[in-house]
Amino acid sequence: MSNFDVLFIGSGQGAWNAAMPLSMSGQKVAIIERDKIAGVCTNYGCNPKIILDGPIKVMEDAQTYHGIGMTSEMKINWSELMAHKNKVLDALPVMLEENFKKAGIEVIKGEASFVNEKTVAVNGQEYTADKIVIASGQRPTPLDIPGKEYLKTSNEFLYLEDLPDHIVFVGAGYVSMELASIAVKVGATVHVIQSSDHILNEFHQPYAQKLLTKMQQDGIQFHFNEKLSKVEQQGEQLQITTEKGLTLTTQLVINATGRVPNVENLNLEAAGVEYNSKGIIVDEYLQTTQKGIYASGDILDKKQPRLTPTAVFEAKYLAASFLGAQTQAIEYPPIATIAFTVPRIAQIGVTIEEAEATGLTIKPIDLGKQWDFAGRNETEAHLNLVYDQEQKLVGATAYSQEALEIINSLTPIITLGLTSKEVDKLIYAFPSFETMIPRYMQETK
């Protein structure tokens, strides 16, 4: 039996960003991983999606110039793009594991299961630790329907050697909308089956509606208020049927109906750790219902967005706490979120809906009429700023190809509570969005 100061279950961002500084500070640390080192973001989420999305954005940017100087058409070679993605990312788990070992972290491969509140078993071997951090993340929600064995998830989509000519996505959240945006631009016929009458619940719905219209113009066909009831194989094709009787013949069905916490195989009951359908329950110090056992990342039952930066923030908080450098409860800053669709929707801080409900000031800015956005023909770009009673910027929501830059530019202003006068002291390279911020803030007063 091996004993550690801190034992991490999972090797993603919510684990290794704590494990590395702890090990380098002299603590005996181990990481248990049942799949690829580095977790979902590196292997099945953010990183592969961003690489595949890169040329999609370039293509969309180029298309906005059609009729005002751009004449040639762009095409994407999926196989070449996938090979490039694999070349870049396949090395990361290997490199990170080497870094773990160089830092003195023991890497244990296999499925973790609690024996008691201090002991975890992996492949028949038991490991004890003074502190245990559960960072096992989430996985795609399974659909229990006839033919479920034919359903694939984003995990498989992000590793397709060849993109099928016809794809059906089930669900209209982050994952589905991002992957559908990629697939249709590459040239696939894309259908989306959605149980409600709208897309992207997490975002400002007027922007989501603008995006829906754009996606339909791009050729994506939406089927709202439909629930998938079964999938059948017909030769080399698949036929999907909904509860209302809609049928579609396709080559690939991607289940993107949500994600569930990876808790089933952990035997949390043996450790006295409580959880629910949303994840593991923790207090304001990220400690579970069992003293000495903590959790971080997507596995948490929390209201904060389940994003890589959130997991990193939590991991760094735990490292500081375990080293005695942090004694206060965790305090989350405003967290920026973005849907990598075309165009993008991004937001931070107080949402438009929250502002409307609480009577805060909402200032709309028609970015599409500003010279810089109009100059690149992005006429639909839009921004909403939210101000509190003291007229400090507390929230922003953007719809634009450049929504990532817009929201990231506003993040320090909102997080640090900067005033217009303080913002005026910042000089950025022109003509980045940052140089326009003082003007936009002044225009909305």
Side-chain angles (χ1 to χ4, degrees):
M1 180 180 292
S2 299
N3 183 69
F4 298 92
D5 294 312
V6 187
L7 180 63
F8 291 86
I9 300 176
S11 66
Q13 300 282 352
W16 71 262
N17 281 285
M20 290 290 280
L22 288 171
S23 183
M24 294 173 71
S25 296
Q27 298 206 15
K28 188 177 181 182
V29 177
I31 287 178
I32 302 171
E33 178 54 63
R34 66 176 183 176
D35 197 354
K36 290 185 177 182
I37 293 294
V40 169
C41 179
T42 299
N43 300 293
Y44 306 111
C46 324
N47 291 11
K49 176 195 69 182
I50 289 168
I51 292 177
L52 296 179
D53 170 78
I56 304 300
K57 185 179 184 301
V58 172
M59 177 183 285
E60 182 68 17
D61 288 342
Q63 287 176 345
T64 63
Y65 284 94
H66 282 180
I68 58 169
M70 183 72 71
T71 58
S72 62
E73 293 287 341
M74 289 187 172
K75 292 185 179 180
I76 292 175
N77 184 312
W78 179 263
S79 297
E80 289 183 2
L81 178 59
M82 183 60 64
H84 168 69
K85 185 268 294 182
N86 292 340
K87 180 180 179 181
V88 173
L89 296 186
D90 285 353
L92 293 186
V94 177
M95 179 188 71
L96 195 56
E97 183 173 354
E98 291 176 352
N99 289 343
F100 290 166
K101 293 177 180 178
K102 288 178 181 178
I105 299 171
E106 182 171 338
V107 178
I108 303 166
K109 301 289 184 67
E111 187 86 51
S113 178
F114 278 95
V115 177
N116 55 49
E117 70 276 12
K118 292 290 185 181
T119 308
V120 174
V122 183
N123 300 325
Q125 176 71 41
E126 293 188 353
Y127 303 90
T128 65
D130 298 330
K131 295 183 180 69
I132 299 174
V133 178
I134 305 170
S136 51
Q138 294 188 323
R139 68 183 187 282
T141 304
L143 283 180
D144 190 14
I145 59 172
K148 61 186 177 182
E149 64 271 20
Y150 301 117
L151 296 173
K152 303 301 181 182
T153 69
S154 57
N155 292 8
E156 288 84 12
F157 180 93
L158 295 169
Y159 283 87
L160 289 171
E161 292 185 5
D162 299 296
L163 191 71
D165 295 329
H166 195 290
I167 305 174
V168 173
F169 290 90
V170 185
Y174 270 98
V175 174
S176 185
M177 295 300 90
E178 292 177 342
L179 300 188
S181 296
I182 292 173
V184 76
K185 287 291 185 181
V186 177
T189 297
V190 176
H191 288 253
V192 175
I193 305 295
Q194 169 65 350
S195 59
S196 71
D197 61 357
H198 57 278
I199 68 173
L200 293 174
N201 291 335
E202 303 91 343
F203 290 94
H204 185 44
Q205 281 305 295
Y207 286 176
Q209 283 299 118
K210 285 166 69 78
L211 176 63
L212 171 61
T213 299
K214 173 63 168 56
M215 295 178 79
Q216 289 171 326
Q217 292 170 348
D218 285 343
I220 299 176
Q221 300 177 57
F222 287 83
H223 307 276
F224 290 109
N225 299 308
E226 296 277 6
K227 289 186 178 181
L228 188 64
S229 61
K230 64 179 178 180
V231 182
E232 300 171 287
Q233 188 163 18
Q234 294 186 340
E236 296 183 354
Q237 305 287 312
L238 296 172
Q239 179 175 286
I240 65 106
T241 304
T242 68
E243 292 180 356
K244 291 183 178 180
L246 171 70
T247 61
L248 293 171
T249 300
T250 188
Q251 295 166 296
L252 178 66
V253 184
I254 299 293
N255 170 26
T257 54
R259 299 180 73 81
V260 293
N262 289 319
V263 294
E264 292 83 0
N265 298 323
L266 292 175
N267 194 25
L268 295 175
E269 291 79 6
V273 174
E274 295 183 12
Y275 63 95
N276 55 39
S277 61
K278 296 180 181 179
I280 293 176
I281 299 169
V282 296
D283 62 14
E284 65 271 27
Y285 299 93
L286 301 185
Q287 185 167 242
T288 70
T289 50
Q290 177 61 255
K291 184 178 179 181
I293 300 179
Y294 300 79
S296 66
D298 290 357
I299 193 67
L300 297 183
D301 173 13
K302 59 184 176 184
K303 61 181 181 180
Q304 288 77 21
R306 291 180 172 86
L307 302 169
T308 295
T310 315
V312 173
F313 184 82
E314 290 162 350
K316 290 181 177 180
Y317 168 83
L318 285 178
S321 297
F322 295 169
L323 293 173
Q326 171 62 266
T327 59
Q328 302 299 313
I330 190 168
E331 186 175 345
Y332 291 92
I335 300 172
T337 61
I338 182 170
F340 283 92
T341 50
V342 284
R344 281 80 156 93
I345 303 178
Q347 61 191 23
I348 186 171
V350 179
T351 66
I352 306 304
E353 289 71 21
E354 291 169 341
E356 291 173 340
T358 55
L360 296 183
T361 302
I362 302 171
K363 298 294 185 178
I365 300 175
D366 192 347
L367 293 178
K369 293 181 179 179
Q370 307 296 323
W371 76 266
D372 45 339
F373 287 86
R376 55 177 173 264
N377 205 30
E378 197 185 346
T379 58
E380 292 296 311
H382 200 273
L383 173 66
N384 276 296
L385 301 178
V386 178
Y387 290 86
D388 64 12
Q389 293 84 352
E390 298 177 352
Q391 286 300 294
K392 280 192 174 184
L393 188 64
V394 293
T397 302
Y399 176 84
S400 167
Q401 275 293 91
E402 306 306 323
L404 178 63
E405 180 189 350
I406 292 169
I407 293 302
N408 279 344
S409 298
L410 296 171
T411 293
I413 298 173
I414 294 172
T415 302
L416 301 176
L418 301 181
T419 64
S420 295
K421 288 184 178 180
E422 290 169 326
V423 172
D424 279 338
K425 296 178 181 179
L426 304 175
I427 301 178
Y428 295 95
F430 184 82
S432 63
F433 180 80
E434 287 91 341
T435 62
M436 308 299 176
I437 292 174
R439 186 184 78 199
Y440 293 147
M441 292 183 70
Q442 290 167 1
E443 288 177 353
T444 58
K445 296 301 181 181

